[in-house]
Amino acid sequence: MVSDDRYDWLAHRAQRTPERTALLFESERWTVAALHAASNGLALVLREAGLAAGDRVALFAGNRPATVIALHAVPRLHATLVPLNLRLS
C-alpha cells in the first residue's frame, strides 16, 4: 500500500504469518492476511475519496472488525485516526 512496510506491523505479519488468527469477533475468524487485505482496500477507498497525508479522520465506532480495519488503513495514508468509542460518554 502506501506506508513503508518496515513500520507497518500488520503488513510485516502478513508476510511472515498470513494464516495466523489476527482477530476473533463473534463467530468470525480473521487471518492476518485477510485483515491486511481489508485494510489495504479501505486505504484505497479513502485515498480515492481524497484523504491525504496529514489529514485527521474521526472514527465513531464500536468494538468490531471495521474498527480494527480502519485502525490499520488510515495510518497507511500517513493520516491520523482519532478513535471515538461508542461506550464513552
Side-chain angles (χ1 to χ4, degrees):
M1 182 67 246
V2 175
S3 72
D4 186 339
D5 285 353
R6 293 177 298 168
Y7 304 106
D8 186 333
W9 172 86
L10 186 58
H12 178 76
R13 291 291 6 134
Q15 290 179 348
R16 301 253 178 176
T17 56
E19 295 307 312
R20 184 173 281 176
T21 300
L23 180 64
L24 295 172
F25 178 74
E26 296 176 353
S27 63
E28 296 178 70
R29 175 187 170 269
W30 289 71
T31 65
V32 174
L35 187 59
H36 178 58
S39 295
N40 276 343
L42 179 57
L44 288 172
V45 168
L46 292 171
R47 183 172 62 186
E48 289 173 3
L51 187 67
D55 287 349
R56 291 178 185 87
V57 177
L59 177 66
F60 187 63
N63 298 328
R64 48 190 334 99
T67 303
V68 178
I69 291 165
L71 285 170
H72 290 282
V74 172
R76 290 182 181 179
L77 300 173
H78 302 283
T80 302
L81 183 75
V82 181
L84 307 170
N85 195 296
L86 295 170
R87 299 176 90 185
L88 296 177
S89 58

